[in-house]
Structure formats: C-alpha cells, structure tokens
C-alpha cells in the first residue's frame, strides 16, 4: 500500500446529513463541518476531526443517527457506525443499543484485533471502554432514510471516513445496512475516502464505496466518478455519496436532496 501519511498536505473536510433530507437539516451539517475544520486548523488529526463532526450530527435529532436514529419495527433503537483510515484501519459496530454516540465505539475498534462487533457484544465492548449506557430517544419519522457521514484529510495526508446511522425507517431488529460493511457504505485508502448514504441493501449489493475508489485509482476525476456511482442506481433508489481525495476539496452528490458541506 502506498503511504502518503507524514507528508505535508492541505487539510479538508466534507460532511453529509443523509440522502432524503432537505435544506432545513443543513444547519447540523454546517455545524459538523465547522467543528471538524476548527480541529484541523489547530493541528488536530483527521480522526479527531471526523469523530467530532459525526458526534455533532449524531446529537442532532433532525438527522438519522444517534439521538435521531430511526426506531425499528419492534420499537427498539439499534444503531450502526463505522470508521476507516487511509493507513488501513477499520472499526465498525452494528445494532448497538443504549449508546448515544456509536461512532465513538466504532473508533475504539480501530486499534483492536476484532474490527466489527454486533449487538450485545458491541454494547459490552462500549462498557469495557467506559462509554456509559444511556436511553437514546430515536425517531419515528416515516421518511428520511439516512445516515450521517464525514470524510476528512489532515495536514499529514491521513484521510479518515466515518459514518453513523439508525438505518432505514421501520427495519426489523437485527437488520444490518451498508454502513458497517466495509467497501459498501464506507471506504478509505491513500487516494480517497468515501461515505455512502441511501438504501443500505442496494448500496451493499453494489459495493459502491470500494468500486468508486477503484475508479479513482484508475485516474478518473472524482466528481465524474461520483456521478458514475449515482448512475449505477435506478432513480427511485435513494443514494448519495461524499468523497475526498488526497488533494483538493471534497464533494457530495445524491439523486435526491442531501444536505452536505465542505471546507478546505
Ligand atoms: N444507509 C443506511 C442504511 O440503510 O442502513
């Protein structure tokens, strides 16, 4: 694997608040970008910035992650989150309960031998690292399918992609969407970080995030590749992506409304 970490790079960040969300949900995304950007400007790492951004969006009840995560058909709130770094680390949790900020649990798996934990095991891991159990409200909104995400590059050239979701509305308990599945909802390598949003089953079938990264590796322009990624889906399948390469600014694109913002 090529390793560009350690070289001087220009920091950048891009965040989204989920395909299917309208402009009224933009403020939480703007606040997330601002928080991550401030960390980068003070020399913080891409990981710290990505986590801070995603926590802000998880705490925003308008967005489908953390506090605003969609409640399952059995009335439970089960959340998914994942983090991947350009230096080859991955951590994800799925169907975790009683956890306000699942992204912080996923991030703690980056340095562990086990890189994905589900349900009870994920929650017990959170207990073991001192993340308190909390009753998280969740949302019964019938629309708005999706997920929050951030992709960040720091001054060392490290890229980090992070996503968190309550999944789609009224899914059964135990259902796993694209977010915790490496290469489907999330991918990060030394060339590009990608976070997907939309109907998890469809994104999983297409392995969209890693396939977008493959096209970037072939030398295609990032914006063109995102258009290609969207065009792999019929227009009635809601999907969107944010992406950030090893140079330049981040982009967001969706086949529906999707609040997103970038700095860099
Ligand atoms: N894209 C989020 C999910 O389907 O779970």
């Amino acid at each position: 694997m090529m390793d560009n970490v350690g070289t001087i790079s220009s920091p950048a960040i891009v965040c989204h608040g989920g395909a299917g969300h309208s402009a009224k949900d933009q403020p939480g995304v703007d606040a997330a970008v601002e928080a991550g950007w401030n960390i980068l400007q003070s020399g913080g790492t891409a990981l710290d910035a990505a986590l801070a951004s995603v926590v802000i969006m998880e705490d925003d009840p308008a967005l489908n992650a953390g506090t605003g995560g969609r409640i399952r058909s059995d009335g439970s709130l089960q959340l998914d989150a994942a983090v991947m770094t350009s230096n080859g680390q991955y951590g994800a949790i799925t169907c975790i309960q009683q956890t306000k900020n699942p992204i912080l649990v996923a991030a703690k798996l980056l340095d562990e031998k086990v890189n994905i934990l589900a349900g009870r095991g994920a929650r017990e891991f959170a207990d073991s690292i001192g993340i308190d159990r909390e009753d998280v409200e969740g949302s019964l909104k019938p629309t708005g399918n999706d997920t929050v995400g951030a992709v960040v590059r720091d001054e060392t050239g490290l890229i980090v992609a992070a996503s968190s979701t309550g999944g789609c509305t009224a899914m059964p308990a135990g259902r796993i969407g694209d977010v915790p599945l490496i290469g489907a909802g999330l991918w990060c390598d030394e060339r590009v970080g990608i976070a997907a949003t939309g109907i998890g089953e469809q994104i999983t079938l297409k392995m969209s995030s890693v396939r977008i990264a493959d096209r970037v590796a072939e030398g295609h322009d990032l914006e063109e590749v995102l258009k290609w990624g969207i065009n792999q889906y019929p227009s009635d399948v809601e999907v969107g992506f944010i992406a950030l390469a090893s140079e330049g600014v981040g982009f967001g694109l969706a086949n529906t409304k999707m609040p997103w913002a970038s700095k860099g």
Side-chain angles (χ1 to χ4, degrees):
M1 178 184 282
M2 195 168 83
D3 185 2
N4 59 357
V5 174
T7 59
I8 299 296
S9 183
S10 61
I13 179 167
V14 57
C15 293
H16 76 81
H21 284 265
S22 65
K24 72 176 172 32
D25 298 328
Q26 186 71 41
V29 180
D30 292 341
V33 165
E34 204 57 41
W37 183 245
N38 288 341
I39 289 171
L40 293 174
Q41 289 303 101
S42 53
T45 68
L47 181 60
D48 287 345
L51 297 182
S53 297
V54 171
V55 163
I56 283 177
M57 293 188 284
E58 286 179 336
D59 289 345
D60 182 340
L63 302 177
N64 180 1
T67 297
R70 295 295 182 265
I71 287 170
R72 307 269 175 152
S73 56
D74 67 348
S76 66
L77 181 68
Q78 303 187 359
L79 302 170
D80 301 344
V83 186
M84 188 168 184
T85 73
S86 60
N87 55 13
Q89 293 175 300
Y90 186 73
I93 49 104
T94 183
C95 299
I96 197 168
Q97 295 184 268
Q98 293 184 285
T99 306
K100 188 166 166 275
N101 296 113
I103 197 69
L104 300 180
V105 186
K108 286 289 183 191
L109 285 170
L110 290 172
D111 294 320
E112 299 288 331
K113 197 167 146 194
V114 168
N115 54 20
I116 306 179
L117 283 172
R120 181 171 63 86
R123 187 50 249 180
E124 287 175 359
F125 173 69
D127 294 338
S128 75
I129 57 171
I131 294 180
D132 289 339
R133 292 182 185 235
E134 290 181 72
D135 288 331
V136 187
E137 193 169 340
S139 167
L140 281 166
K141 273 189 204 164
T143 58
N145 276 307
D146 253 280
T147 309
V148 304
V151 187
V152 184
R153 184 182 67 231
D154 65 26
E155 62 186 13
T156 71
L158 181 74
I159 307 173
V160 173
S163 281
S164 183
T165 190
C168 298
T169 301
M171 282 288 165
R175 175 265 188 182
I176 299 173
D178 58 299
V179 165
L181 301 179
I182 190 167
L186 196 78
W187 181 259
C188 194
D189 60 29
E190 66 279 7
R191 294 183 188 85
V192 67
I194 297 133
T197 165
I199 308 299
E201 285 72 11
Q202 299 295 320
I203 296 168
T204 298
L205 283 169
K206 294 201 186 298
M207 296 283 288
S208 279
S209 293
V210 74
R211 291 182 68 211
I212 286 171
D214 286 347
R215 289 182 78 84
V216 171
E218 287 164 7
H220 297 283
D221 172 75
L222 185 58
E223 268 188 285
E224 290 304 316
V225 175
L226 291 193
K227 280 185 202 154
W228 172 86
I230 296 288
N231 287 337
Q232 303 309 300
Y233 294 83
S235 57
D236 62 340
V237 174
E238 193 169 75
V239 66
F241 303 102
I242 53 169
L244 177 66
S246 53
E247 298 177 337
V249 294
F251 295 106
L253 193 67
N255 64 3
T256 178
K257 288 181 181 163
M258 179 181 78
W260 70 278
S262 73
K263 272 198 167 190

